[in-house]
Amino acid sequence: MEISVVGNSDFVTGFRLAGIRKIYDTENVSIDSAVRTVLEDKDVGILVMHNDDILKLPDSLKAMLNDSVQPTVVALGGSGAGSTNLRDKIKQAVGVDLWK
């Protein structure tokens, strides 16, 4: 399983330097098409996005991301209650709370 990152240049640069290969810079492609590409890629196990970018997506695509087990979606940055809790996503993907 691979990690994929979708976001603007500033967001994806650190992941690119860390060696993540499946990077989708949204300055070159639309956020919607990048997310759909990742969802269709069976090799991707984790999708990392900025929370503000997730909020820009259409409601139907947000619902798909929220229900997605593979890839597990991890939202970083942003503010407010809409931020994804990594512990809840792992619990959803694995089926048990690993911290208990």
Side-chain angles (χ1 to χ4, degrees):
M1 289 290 149
E2 293 190 49
I3 298 173
S4 182
V5 182
V6 174
N8 64 28
S9 301
D10 293 335
F11 183 74
V12 300
T13 298
F15 294 99
R16 193 181 312 264
L17 292 172
I20 305 296
R21 292 177 288 164
K22 295 197 179 212
I23 301 283
Y24 296 89
D25 188 338
T26 56
E27 292 180 15
N28 299 325
V29 298
S30 73
I31 295 172
D32 295 7
S33 66
V35 169
R36 290 182 195 281
T37 301
V38 172
L39 289 175
E40 293 171 2
D41 188 343
K42 299 301 179 198
D43 291 333
V44 175
I46 298 174
L47 167 60
V48 179
M49 292 182 68
H50 194 279
N51 193 52
D52 294 342
D53 289 338
I54 292 175
L55 296 176
K56 294 177 188 175
L57 295 171
D59 290 337
S60 60
L61 197 51
K62 280 191 262 189
M64 286 175 61
L65 291 179
N66 192 39
D67 295 338
S68 177
V69 173
Q70 184 178 345
T72 298
V73 180
V74 177
L76 300 177
S79 59
S83 295
T84 303
N85 182 340
L86 179 58
R87 181 177 180 175
D88 290 340
K89 282 298 191 178
I90 292 172
K91 184 177 175 183
Q92 178 184 4
V94 176
V96 295
D97 190 350
L98 297 176
W99 276 274
K100 286 190 174 187

